[in-house]
Structure formats: C-alpha cells, structure tokens
C-alpha cells in the first residue's frame, strides 16, 4: 500500500482527525491554495475533525471548511486591529473602509502575530473550542496530519502535536514537509515522516 492509500484509509477509519497546517500553505507561495482547501473539505466531510493553522492570509476562512472546527492562533490578516492596540476591537474585512482606528485615529493593521501588539481575543474563543475538542480525543483513535509545519512557531502546532500523539496510545501521525519532516523519539512507532512538499503531496492525495 502506498502512503497515500494508507492515509486515505486511516482518514476513513479514525474517530478523531487533527490537522495542522503550516508555512508551506501560504497563499503567496501557492496561488491555487483555495482548491486544496476545497479538496480537504471533501476528504474530511462527516469526520470529527479540528484544524489548527499558523497561516495568516485568511484563505482558509473563504473555504467551505466548517469554520467552527478551525482555529488560527497566529491571526488573520483580513481581520483588522488598531496598530497602536488602543482597544481590543477587531474589525471584519471592509468594516472600516478608511482603515483608520475609530478610537484613536491610528492606522489599522492585520490582526496577526506580526502586529506590534497582537490582540489575541480574535482567536481565543476558537482556541477554547479546540482545547475542549482535543481533551475528547484521549483514548480515541486519533489521526494527526501535520502539513507543512516547520519551526517558525513550533509551540503552536509542531511540539503540542508531538505531545498529543505521545500521550494517546491509539494515535497515529503523518508529518509531511518538504524539509523538516523529522520526528522525535517520543513519537517513535506512532508517526511517519514524509519528506515531500505537503501541498504537492496533498494535491496528489
Ligand atoms: Zn486605536
């Protein structure tokens, strides 16, 4: 059986499906990223899944993936915040067409970790949903697909995913990355590394 066939079979068989999406999925590197998200939506529909992404371009929010099952802890450029962080307000795209903070007059900026003072309230409700969901994966057949997550912000996906896999005896992980597919000892026997661009891999899945 090829890795592709194996993954498809495990998607069908798992009770819980955790997906991590990282740097390789940035729209600037992948103009047709929307089609990959639609492919994902088709592959995992009807599954009990959760997606964590560190990508901040907001493309995933435009997809048909169930938005209540995803969290973007590094934020989202299409949501706007005050560049001086004078308030915790976050505005939807186009809500403030002038792109100026209505409270202090400072320019607006993307609500992401790149902001001088990142207003984390944007993702916290979904983060809570994620941690609750994750707590429910213990003792369940958990499949983890980590797609293109490198070392830019390893505390968000990479290291916590390794921990979740090491704690769950029914977990299995695929780490797919063009450069950084290596696995630590802690997940030995429970994880497979695929040294290939995760977007290319996913396109062929
Ligand atoms: Zn302001």
């Amino acid at each position: 059986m090829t890795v592709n066939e194996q993954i498809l079979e495990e998607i069908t068989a798992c009770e819980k499906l955790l997906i991590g999406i990282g740097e390789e999925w940035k729209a600037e590197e992948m103009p047709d990223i929307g089609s990959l998200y639609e492919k994902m939506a088709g592959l995992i529909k009807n599954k009990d899944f959760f997606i964590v992404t560190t990508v901040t371009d907001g493309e995933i929010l435009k997809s048909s993936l169930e938005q209540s099952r995803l969290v973007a802890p590094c934020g989202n450029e299409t949501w706007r915040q005050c560049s001086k962080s004078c308030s915790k307000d976050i505005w939807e795209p186009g809500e403030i067409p002038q792109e100026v903070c209505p409270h202090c007059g400072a320019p607006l900026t993307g609500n992401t970790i790149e902001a001088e003072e990142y207003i984390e309230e944007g993702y916290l409700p979904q983060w809570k949903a994620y941690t609750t969901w994750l707590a429910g994966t213990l003792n369940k057949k958990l499949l983890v697909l980590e797609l293109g997550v490198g070392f830019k912000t390893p505390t968000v996906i990479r290291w916590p995913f390794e921990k979740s896999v090491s704690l769950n005896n029914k977990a299995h992980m695929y780490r797919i990355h063009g450069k950084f597919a290596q696995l630590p000892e802690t997940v030995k026997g429970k994880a497979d590394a695929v040294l290939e661009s995760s977007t290319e891999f996913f396109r062929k899945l």
Side-chain angles (χ1 to χ4, degrees), residues 10-31:
E10 283 183 57
I11 290 175
T12 306
C14 71
E15 294 172 278
K16 303 272 181 181
L17 174 59
L18 174 60
I19 299 177
I21 297 175
E23 294 96 284
E24 286 186 339
W25 285 57
K26 279 187 193 164
E28 58 192 60
E29 278 146 47
M30 280 284 311

Side-chain angles (χ1 to χ4, degrees), residues 162-174:
E162 289 169 1
K163 193 170 172 206
S164 292
V165 170
S166 72
L167 291 174
N168 181 331
N169 288 329
K170 296 183 191 166
H172 189 219
M173 171 161 82
Y174 289 93

Side-chain angles (χ1 to χ4, degrees), residues 82 84 86-87 101 103-106:
C82 173
K84 304 269 181 236
C86 78
S87 89
C101 174
H103 305 297
C104 74

Side-chain angles (χ1 to χ4, degrees), residues 132-186:
T132 304
W133 180 89
L134 193 61
T137 64
L138 216 60
N139 302 317
K140 293 275 167 55
K141 208 171 159 86
L142 171 68
L143 173 64
V144 179
L145 298 179
E146 198 194 81
L147 307 171
V149 179
F151 289 100
K152 202 175 164 217
T153 48
T155 55
V156 179
I157 294 176
R158 197 172 172 106
W159 296 341
F161 275 24
E162 289 169 1
K163 193 170 172 206
S164 292
V165 170
S166 72
L167 291 174
N168 181 331
N169 288 329
K170 296 183 191 166
H172 189 219
M173 171 161 82
Y174 289 93
R175 169 165 284 164
I176 307 167
H177 197 289
K179 285 190 206 119
F180 306 117
Q182 65 267 35
L183 295 163
E185 282 294 309
T186 51

